[in-house]
Amino acid sequence: MIIGTLADSARIEPLHPLFKQVFDYIKSHDLLHAPLERIELDGERLFINNVLAKAKTEQEQPLEAHRRYLDIHVLLEGEERIGWRALEDCAEPREPFNEADDYMLIDQRATAYVDLQPGQFAIVYPEDAHAPLIGEGEIRKLIVKALV
């Protein structure tokens, strides 16, 4: 997992060929006031889900993991806690891996947590089981999906 701010995103852009494109887009658009929808930047290779979601407690939110995509969780409004646990340390998933939607859920607690403020992001790779959307009320955020 990588934690950072949009203001300093240039430091991590060399880590993935799609990072510069997505961070340039996010920093040049007012996505807080944009429609809640999927924004395609490069078809299925790179897209953004602009969402407003109801927060959950740490106990309610299972860990999730992906295989084909990495996620960039960018907080736009509110406060969000994201849990993390190394995938290799996770128990068996709740159900078999969902290939079509690229995810699995794991009924296990995170071993570490990070609290995001607006303008901050967390990048989670396939080896990072994560529990997003922990908090209170509603969370306005971007969930970027980039092919690994």
Side-chain angles (χ1 to χ4, degrees):
M1 176 186 271
I2 298 172
I3 309 301
T5 67
L6 290 173
D8 295 326
S9 66
R11 290 180 185 219
I12 58 95
E13 288 172 4
L15 298 177
H16 191 283
L18 298 173
F19 280 176
K20 179 167 176 34
Q21 179 182 358
V22 75
F23 283 118
D24 284 351
Y25 184 88
I26 291 169
K27 290 190 279 187
S28 65
H29 291 79
D30 180 7
L31 297 174
L32 175 60
H33 299 100
L36 299 172
E37 62 187 8
R38 177 176 162 146
I39 303 163
E40 289 195 19
L41 299 180
D42 190 359
E44 292 299 312
R45 289 185 64 225
L46 179 65
F47 59 91
I48 301 169
N49 292 316
N50 191 342
V51 301
L52 177 64
K54 184 178 183 311
K56 297 181 179 184
T57 66
E58 290 176 13
Q59 294 75 25
E60 293 173 314
Q61 186 68 331
L63 291 166
E64 63 182 62
H66 314 288
R67 291 183 181 157
R68 292 190 326 263
Y69 289 96
L70 63 79
D71 288 353
I72 306 173
H73 296 265
V74 182
L75 187 62
L76 296 177
E77 190 171 59
E79 294 181 7
E80 179 182 21
R81 173 169 276 196
I82 298 178
W84 175 89
R85 185 179 191 113
L87 184 59
E88 66 187 30
D89 294 335
C90 288
E92 289 297 312
R94 180 186 293 180
E95 298 173 3
F97 187 83
N98 183 322
E99 293 288 342
D101 294 326
D102 189 45
Y103 80 94
M104 65 180 156
L105 299 177
I106 303 158
D107 291 322
Q108 199 167 1
R109 297 288 304 271
T111 56
Y113 293 88
V114 63
D115 295 318
L116 295 182
Q117 301 296 315
Q120 297 176 338
F121 62 83
I123 300 173
V124 290
Y125 287 86
E127 63 270 19
D128 297 319
H130 55 286
L133 297 170
I134 297 171
E136 296 179 7
E138 293 185 323
I139 297 171
R140 181 72 187 265
K141 67 183 289 184
L142 306 174
I143 304 168
V144 177
K145 296 292 208 173
L147 274 179
V148 178

